[in-house]
């Protein structure tokens, strides 16, 4: 095409030209350049213009990837150009040489014959020789010289000469922009500006931006070179990246830091926690990766991310299913089961409820810990167990402050991390065995954890932010309440787990322990069985405990021996039935002789009932009197409270000496009284042996025998009143185990009788007393009376239906107590 053909379109007039799209490319007026047209919409337009001897308009395309652009996909200002030469290689493309001659504004664009045409307005180039124009031109040339010098590898040497020859500000802006290696968006800004002064100002602005970037790049390169001199050359690119990131105010690894920020924002932390950990991320970003402090900060951040800020497990509130699971896992233990089912029922009604804080108190082996696991399974919560036995450092609960080397959060938050949920069941085992030393008191730290009104703002020393513990179901276990601090005890709901009866142990052994051990030892239930008598014999003569731990141990011993016998004979289907006669072969001679009542009625020996950490038991309290100086001797390792009970009982006896019919030759000032409780190596404590001590002393002083088939418990006052005691169920179970069927209890303990299993309660006779005289009427034989019969049913002896120590009409006396079945 003849370049002069562009005179067919006078400037500042409207004409229609074929459109050649330029994806991400800008060509300025007066530019001569080859163009390889690949896209078919451009190829067809170029071929049409060549055939028709017509100019074209070159329009920069906004979306470079779009093969068939729409009219809206082009910038409005382009370059009108003539095609000076063309070549068709036959591969569907066309190569053309073009010469731009003017700016052109696209008024409208339309498609015809598979290519685009545009109605355009040719814009003439304005001349401006004002002082402002000359000043701007001088500044632009100076900036371009600096740009070309800093970027000499990409700017041709002759470009400076071309630029300096330009006489018009508009042409100067176009020439400078044409030589710059910048984004097409910035070039389009220059092309869009029709006014030459404004165009030159835009060009100068772009020049300065590029100069700043080149200076920054030069600064970075200088820093990299210095760093490479100190390290190996192969780290060059890495060090360059570090320098870039340092200039941008970012950390060592942008991707890692960004990932941490995303994890923090999506973790659902509290506003306080998120603000604090983001500050630590900023600190981490500024630190060298090899510094020791960066590792400490990263560990701190990881702990925040590991905690379940919003993760929860869905509570199961199907009461029938929860009840089935609890019954399946444990026999008995009705109180804790009822409490959990009540909690689930309330949860079903209110949908949100603070977790209860329960404390299971009972002797070892009664299933406190395993019950916690069953509750977790029944409620659908994750289970975490934390043993507090021997813990003596407050930091175990609250964590160490970050100033300490190797500091970590406390075990509460560690447990939550392991549980991976905000509402697990948290079992604090052996809470009664917490100790304290100079490092603090863990029990005091637990006050906040176990208080539903405070634990929603629990603050661990390590994280030093508030964390909500109110959704956790806390369950604690203890063998005794005595060693638990009162303030801590007040925050928990106490549920007593007393020792099992022999009937409950038999059920537990037959339903749970024996099947479990048979399976654990590779045996089959159809080939190994235990008789009921054998199980009872193991309970009575091979174990002495409130729980079932030793019972399981003994059944495990039998299963081991049976397994050895099966393997030795090579017969896996041999039927083995374990009976009473086989126990000595499997377990050896009995380890315990089953306790029973005294063999005969004796003077100065009374049977009392006690409660220990291992459950209930009976004790024989012995008393004797001898000539002396009026001393009360107490032996058998008695505690202070028990010693005071003995002194109270003696004071009562002295105040009632006339009514008790003591021998005429007895004088308290001339006789010593000695009280002894066997098993002297075992410490004994508590006030509940008061009436037993008094009975034994009165028997020794009066010479009247104490009935062998009666056990008693109750605290005594100076007036002879019998006060209520604790642990009645365990004490009664102990008497029942020892074949004692007549029980004297304080009248105020009548409310505790329903706790005793019905099958045991029906086999015992209870006498509820209010005064010591009633105890003596029941426990002491009348002088010269025949041997007593068992006080059961209709066989009530005469001495138990009459008051032995007072006249019937004596004023102020209490009627004889009635037996209670």
């Amino acid at each position: 095409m003849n370049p002069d053909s562009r005179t067919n379109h006078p400037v500042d007039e409207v004409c229609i030209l074929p459109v050649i799209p330029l994806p991400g490319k800008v060509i300025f007026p007066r530019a001569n350049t080859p163009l390889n047209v690949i896209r078919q919409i451009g190829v067809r337009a170029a071929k049409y213009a060549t055939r028709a001897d017509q100019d074209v308009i070159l329009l920069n395309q906004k979306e470079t990837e779009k093969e068939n652009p729409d009219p809206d996909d082009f910038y409005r200002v382009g370059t009108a150009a003539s095609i000076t030469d063309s070549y068709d290689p036959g591969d569907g493309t066309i190569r053309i040489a073009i010469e731009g001659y003017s700016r052109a504004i696209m008024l409208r664009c339309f498609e015809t014959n598979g290519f685009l045409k545009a109605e355009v307005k040719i814009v003439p180039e304005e001349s401006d020789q004002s002082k402002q124009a000359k000043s701007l031109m001088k500044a632009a040339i100076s900036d371009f010289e600096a740009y070309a010098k800093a970027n000499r590898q990409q700017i041709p040497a002759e470009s400076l000469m071309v630029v300096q020859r330009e006489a018009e500000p508009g042409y100067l802006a176009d020439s400078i922009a044409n030589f710059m290696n910048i984004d097409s968006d910035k070039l389009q800004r220059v092309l869009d500006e029709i006014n030459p002064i404004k165009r030159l100002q835009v060009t100068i602005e772009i020049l300065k931006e590029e100069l700043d970037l080149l200076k920054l790049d030069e600064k970075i390169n200088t820093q990299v070179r210095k760093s490479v001199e100190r390290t190996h050359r192969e780290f060059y690119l890495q060090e360059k990246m570090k320098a870039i990131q340092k200039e941008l105010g970012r950390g060592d690894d942008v991707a890692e830091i960004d990932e941490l920020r995303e994890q923090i924002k999506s973790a659902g932390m509290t506003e306080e926690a998120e603000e604090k950990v983001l500050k630590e991320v900023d600190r981490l970003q500024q630190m060298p990766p090899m510094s020791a402090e960066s590792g400490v900060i990263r560990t701190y951040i990881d702990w925040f991310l590991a905690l379940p800020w919003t993760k929860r497990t869905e509570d199961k509130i199907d009461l029938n299913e929860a009840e089935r699971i609890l019954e399946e896992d444990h026999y008995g233990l009705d109180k804790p089961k009822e409490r959990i089912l009540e909690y689930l029922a309330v949860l079903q009604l209110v949908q949100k409820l603070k977790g209860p804080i329960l404390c299971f108190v009972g002797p070892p082996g009664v299933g406190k810990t395993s019950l916690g696991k069953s509750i977790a399974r029944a409620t659908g919560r994750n289970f975490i167990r934390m043993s507090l036995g021997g813990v003596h450092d407050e930091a175990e609960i609250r964590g160490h402050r970050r100033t300490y080397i190797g500091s970590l959060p406390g075990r509460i938050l560690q447990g939550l991390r392991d549980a991976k949920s905000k509402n697990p069941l948290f079992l604090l085992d052996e809470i009664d065995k917490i100790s304290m030393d100079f490092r603090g008191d863990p029990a005091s730290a637990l006050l906040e954890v176990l208080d539903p009104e405070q634990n929603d703002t629990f603050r661990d020393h390590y994280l030093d932010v508030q964390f909500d513990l109110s959704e956790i179901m806390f369950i604690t276990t203890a063998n005794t309440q005595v060693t638990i601090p009162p303030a801590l005890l007040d925050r928990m709901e106490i549920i007593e787990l007393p020792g099992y009866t022999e009937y409950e142990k038999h059920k537990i052994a037959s339903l749970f322990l024996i099947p479990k051990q048979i399976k654990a030892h590779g045996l089959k239930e159809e080939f190994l069985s235990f008789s009921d008598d054998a199980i009872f014999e193991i309970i009575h003569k091979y174990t002495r405990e409130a729980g079932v731990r030793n019972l399981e141990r003994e059944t495990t011993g039998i299963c081991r021996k049976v397994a050895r016998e099966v393997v030795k004979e090579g017969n896996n289907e041999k039927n083995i039935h374990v009976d009473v006669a086989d126990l000595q072969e499997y377990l050896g001679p009995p380890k315990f002789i089953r306790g029973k009542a005294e063999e005969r009625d004796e003077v100065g020996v009374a049977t009392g009932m006690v409660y220990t950490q291992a459950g209930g038991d009976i004790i024989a309290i012995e008393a004797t009197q001898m000539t002396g100086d009026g001393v009360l001797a107490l032996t058998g390792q008695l505690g202070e409270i028990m010693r005071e009970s003995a002194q109270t009982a003696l004071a009562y006896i002295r105040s009632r000496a006339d009514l008790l019919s003591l021998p005429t030759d007895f004088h308290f000032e001339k006789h010593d009284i000695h009280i002894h409780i066997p098993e002297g190596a075992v410490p004994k404590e508590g006030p509940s042996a008061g009436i037993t001590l008094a009975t034994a002393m009165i028997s020794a002083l009066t010479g009247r025998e104490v009935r062998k088939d009666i056990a008693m418990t109750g605290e005594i006052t100076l007036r002879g009143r019998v006060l209520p005691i604790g642990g009645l169920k365990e004490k009664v179970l102990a008497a029942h185990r020892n074949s004692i069927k007549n029980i004297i209890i304080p009248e105020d303990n009548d409310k505790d009788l329903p706790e005793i299993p019905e099958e045991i309660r029906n086999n015992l006779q209870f006498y509820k007393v209010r005064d010591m005289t009633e105890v003596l009427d029941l426990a002491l034989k009348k002088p010269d009376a025949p041997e007593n019969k068992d006080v059961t049913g209709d066989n009530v002896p005469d001495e138990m239906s009459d008051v032995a120590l007072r006249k019937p009409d004596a004023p102020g006396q209490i009627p004889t107590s009635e037996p209670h079945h």
Side-chain angles (χ1 to χ4, degrees):
M1 170 179 279
N2 185 356
D4 295 334
S5 62
R6 62 178 176 269
T7 59
N8 296 330
H9 307 293
V11 294
D12 211 15
E13 290 190 4
V14 177
C15 58
I16 295 176
L17 299 177
V19 176
I20 295 181
L22 300 178
K25 185 175 178 65
V26 175
I27 295 178
F28 287 92
R30 302 190 309 139
N32 294 296
T33 181
L35 194 63
N36 188 16
V37 184
I38 298 175
R39 296 181 177 178
Q40 292 304 306
I41 191 171
V43 171
R44 287 190 284 269
K47 288 183 178 180
Y48 170 81
T50 303
R51 290 194 304 269
D53 194 24
Q54 191 174 359
D55 294 343
V56 296
I57 182 170
L58 307 176
L59 291 176
N60 184 14
Q61 186 177 325
K62 296 177 182 177
E63 297 185 18
T64 60
E65 302 297 327
K66 199 168 184 178
E67 289 286 337
N68 297 305
D70 297 324
D72 293 336
D73 294 328
F74 297 104
Y75 290 98
R76 290 186 66 251
V77 178
T79 300
S82 301
I83 299 177
T84 59
D85 197 5
S86 65
Y87 169 68
D88 187 353
D91 58 358
T93 65
I94 187 170
R95 300 172 187 171
I96 59 176
I98 57 140
E99 180 181 349
Y101 59 82
S102 180
R103 280 173 170 73
I105 301 174
M106 178 181 67
L107 303 177
R108 66 186 182 92
C109 184
F110 55 91
E111 184 178 355
T112 178
N113 298 324
F115 64 92
L116 296 175
K117 286 186 175 182
E119 181 179 350
V120 300
K121 178 182 179 182
I122 306 300
V123 180
E125 182 67 35
E126 299 177 7
S127 176
D128 191 333
Q129 295 296 322
S130 63
K131 292 182 179 180
Q132 181 186 10
K134 292 180 179 179
S135 175
L136 288 173
M137 290 176 65
K138 184 176 180 181
I141 293 173
S142 175
D143 288 342
F144 183 73
E145 288 178 354
Y147 176 80
K149 183 178 180 181
N151 201 19
R152 62 173 61 92
Q153 295 180 351
Q154 299 180 4
I155 303 299
E158 64 273 11
S159 62
L160 190 58
M161 298 175 58
V162 173
V163 166
Q164 289 173 342
R165 286 199 297 264
E166 297 290 355
E168 294 293 336
Y171 290 153
L172 176 61
D174 290 346
S175 296
I176 291 175
N178 193 45
F179 284 120
M180 294 179 68
N181 184 22
I182 57 177
D183 295 338
S184 62
D185 292 343
K186 293 181 179 180
L187 295 175
Q188 185 67 40
R189 285 173 56 196
V190 177
L191 186 66
D192 286 343
E193 196 56 64
I194 304 300
N195 184 285
I197 297 298
K198 292 183 178 180
R199 189 189 314 161
L200 190 57
Q201 289 173 340
V202 171
T203 304
I204 293 172
E205 180 183 339
I206 294 174
L207 268 173
K208 292 187 179 298
E209 290 177 1
E210 294 299 313
L211 279 171
D212 289 341
L213 289 175
L214 289 172
K215 290 178 181 178
L216 180 59
D217 190 60
E218 179 61 27
K219 181 180 179 181
I220 291 172
N221 288 333
T222 302
Q223 292 176 349
V224 171
R225 284 194 296 270
K226 291 180 179 179
S227 178
V228 169
E229 290 174 1
R230 296 190 303 268
T231 60
H232 199 274
R233 297 287 290 183
E234 74 174 320
F235 295 109
Y236 173 79
L237 295 177
Q238 295 178 2
E239 293 299 323
K240 185 174 182 179
M241 182 62 70
K242 288 179 184 179
I244 294 172
Q245 293 168 359
K246 185 175 180 180
E247 287 299 322
L248 295 175
R250 306 179 70 178
D252 299 324
D253 191 339
V254 177
E256 184 179 5
I257 295 296
D258 289 343
E259 183 180 356
L260 282 176
R261 293 183 188 277
E262 289 297 323
Q263 290 177 359
I264 291 168
K265 292 184 180 299
S266 62
M269 300 179 188
T270 62
E271 183 178 348
E272 177 194 15
E274 185 172 326
E275 180 182 355
K276 190 176 187 68
V277 74
L278 285 175
K279 286 183 179 179
E280 295 299 320
V281 172
D282 294 338
R283 288 185 60 203
L284 178 65
Q285 190 174 13
Q286 303 299 326
M287 287 190 173
M290 301 305 293
S291 69
E293 183 67 14
S294 66
V296 173
I297 294 176
R298 183 55 194 264
T299 302
Y300 182 73
I301 295 171
D302 288 343
W303 268 107
F304 272 89
L305 295 175
L307 290 176
W309 295 91
T310 56
K311 295 177 182 176
R312 296 174 178 84
T313 55
E314 185 177 353
D315 283 325
K316 293 180 183 177
I317 50 178
D318 185 342
L319 294 185
N320 294 330
E321 177 65 12
E323 187 173 5
R324 184 194 66 78
I325 292 174
L326 292 174
E327 292 295 338
E328 177 183 293
D329 289 350
H330 287 84
Y331 181 83
L333 304 179
D334 294 331
K335 275 193 175 181
K337 291 178 181 177
E338 288 179 9
R339 181 63 183 85
I340 296 306
L341 294 176
E342 290 168 2
Y343 167 76
L344 293 178
V346 176
L347 183 64
Q348 187 172 359
L349 294 176
V350 302
Q351 298 302 319
K352 186 175 182 181
L353 184 66
K354 288 186 177 181
I357 299 174
L358 310 179
C359 181
F360 296 156
V361 178
V366 296
K368 300 184 294 295
T369 303
S370 59
L371 180 60
K373 293 181 181 179
S374 296
I375 293 173
R377 191 162 74 94
T379 56
R381 297 184 178 223
N382 296 333
F383 178 77
I384 292 296
R385 174 183 172 274
M386 173 182 170
S387 178
L388 296 175
V391 172
H392 50 73
D393 188 355
E394 178 196 1
E396 293 279 346
I397 308 298
R398 288 186 175 275
H400 294 84
R401 299 191 185 276
R402 291 178 61 198
T403 52
Y404 295 97
I405 296 176
S407 56
L408 287 173
R411 291 172 66 182
I412 299 294
L413 292 190
Q414 290 184 37
L416 284 174
R417 177 202 60 182
D418 298 339
K420 295 182 174 59
S421 65
K422 193 178 181 180
N423 61 338
L425 187 147
F426 211 119
L427 182 73
L428 300 174
D429 216 358
E430 311 292 355
I431 197 170
D432 58 322
K433 297 176 179 60
I434 295 179
S435 57
M436 61 178 291
D437 60 11
F438 63 93
R439 286 168 287 193
D441 182 8
S444 299
L446 282 174
L447 293 177
E448 180 184 7
V449 175
L450 298 181
D451 191 338
E453 301 302 323
Q454 299 181 26
N455 61 10
D456 57 339
T457 56
F458 174 73
R459 187 178 290 270
D460 186 273
H461 286 162
Y462 180 76
L463 297 184
D464 198 25
V465 296
Q466 292 182 0
F467 193 93
D468 186 4
L469 305 180
S470 63
E471 297 183 43
I472 301 175
M473 180 185 290
F474 283 104
I475 292 180
T476 64
T477 70
N479 294 131
T480 177
Q481 301 181 40
V482 176
T483 56
I484 302 176
L488 186 58
L489 195 64
D490 182 61
R491 283 162 167 77
M492 301 182 291
E493 181 178 343
I494 305 299
I495 297 180
E496 298 278 355
L497 272 66
Y500 293 114
T501 67
E502 59 186 33
Y503 301 102
E504 290 173 332
K505 289 183 181 180
H506 174 269
K507 286 287 187 183
I508 293 171
S510 57
L511 296 177
F512 299 98
L513 302 183
I514 293 176
K516 172 185 172 183
Q517 294 305 324
I518 288 176
K519 182 178 179 181
H521 289 79
L523 305 172
K524 297 181 180 179
E525 290 189 49
E526 57 265 31
F527 301 125
L528 175 59
S529 60
F530 289 70
S531 69
D532 290 341
D533 290 340
I535 297 175
F536 278 116
E537 188 75 3
I538 296 172
I539 293 170
H540 294 154
K541 295 188 177 181
Y542 290 89
T543 64
R544 179 170 289 178
E545 58 178 346
V548 292
R549 197 165 285 154
N550 286 326
L551 178 57
E552 182 176 15
R553 196 171 291 124
E554 297 301 329
T555 56
T556 301
I558 293 176
C559 289
R560 285 199 306 268
K561 289 181 170 58
V562 170
R564 178 182 176 185
E565 183 179 333
V566 168
V567 172
K568 190 174 182 180
E569 295 182 4
N571 184 5
N572 293 336
E573 298 185 356
K574 178 182 179 181
N575 286 311
I576 298 177
H577 182 71
V578 180
D579 209 342
V580 175
D582 304 316
L583 292 181
Q584 289 213 25
E585 177 185 349
Y586 289 118
L587 299 178
K591 299 178 181 178
F592 304 99
I593 298 176
R594 184 180 183 184
K596 48 189 175 181
E598 295 293 322
E599 296 180 358
R600 64 181 185 276
D601 301 336
E602 292 190 51
V603 174
V605 180
T607 303
M609 298 181 292
V610 297
Y611 175 61
T612 67
Q613 291 189 13
D617 204 351
I618 65 170
I619 57 173
I621 295 181
E622 302 174 350
T624 185
Q625 57 94 9
M626 64 205 79
T627 304
D629 300 321
V631 175
L632 175 63
L634 301 171
T635 57
Q637 202 172 345
L638 308 188
E640 185 64 29
I641 297 175
M642 202 166 189
R643 288 176 173 271
E644 291 178 357
S645 294
Q647 293 170 355
T648 302
L650 179 58
Y652 165 76
I653 294 171
R654 296 184 69 168
S655 67
R656 300 292 194 275
D658 295 339
L659 294 175
L660 295 176
S661 303
L662 299 182
T664 57
D665 59 345
F666 179 82
H667 300 282
F668 287 99
E669 297 82 5
K670 298 179 180 180
H671 289 79
D672 292 344
I673 299 176
H674 186 172
I675 296 176
H676 176 70
I677 301 179
E679 298 187 32
V682 179
K684 305 166 188 71
E685 183 60 290
S688 63
I691 64 172
T692 316
L693 291 165
T695 302
M697 283 192 284
I698 292 172
S699 172
L701 297 178
T702 61
R704 297 171 60 185
E705 296 175 348
V706 182
R707 295 186 54 79
K708 65 180 183 296
D709 56 355
I710 289 182
M712 62 190 75
T713 181
E715 182 179 352
I716 189 174
T717 69
L718 290 173
R719 295 177 296 161
R721 296 295 302 275
V722 180
L723 302 183
I725 46 80
L728 181 65
K729 178 181 177 182
E730 291 76 10
K731 295 176 180 180
V732 171
L733 294 181
H736 179 264
R737 280 199 304 268
N738 289 277
S739 303
I740 297 178
K741 298 186 179 297
N742 303 295
I743 311 294
I744 298 176
I745 64 172
E747 186 178 59
D748 290 339
N749 281 111
D750 180 54
K751 59 182 173 52
D752 299 320
L753 288 178
E755 297 181 4
I756 301 170
E758 185 177 0
E759 67 272 14
I760 292 179
R761 198 166 66 242
N762 291 338
N763 289 327
L764 298 175
Q765 184 122 18
F766 295 93
Y767 290 88
K768 298 172 289 181
V769 298
R770 289 181 293 173
D771 192 87
M772 188 63 204
T773 56
E774 299 176 71
V775 177
L776 299 176
D777 288 343
L778 294 167
L780 297 182
K781 292 178 62 177
K782 286 185 179 181
D784 303 323
E787 185 177 351
N788 291 333
K789 299 178 183 179
D790 287 342
V791 188
T792 57
D794 298 328
N795 299 323
V796 181
D798 293 338
E799 64 269 27
M800 288 203 172
S801 61
D802 192 13
V803 180
L805 301 179
R806 57 180 172 81
K807 297 179 181 180
D809 298 329
Q813 298 296 325
I814 300 173
T816 306
S817 60
E818 293 295 331
H820 171 78
H821 293 278

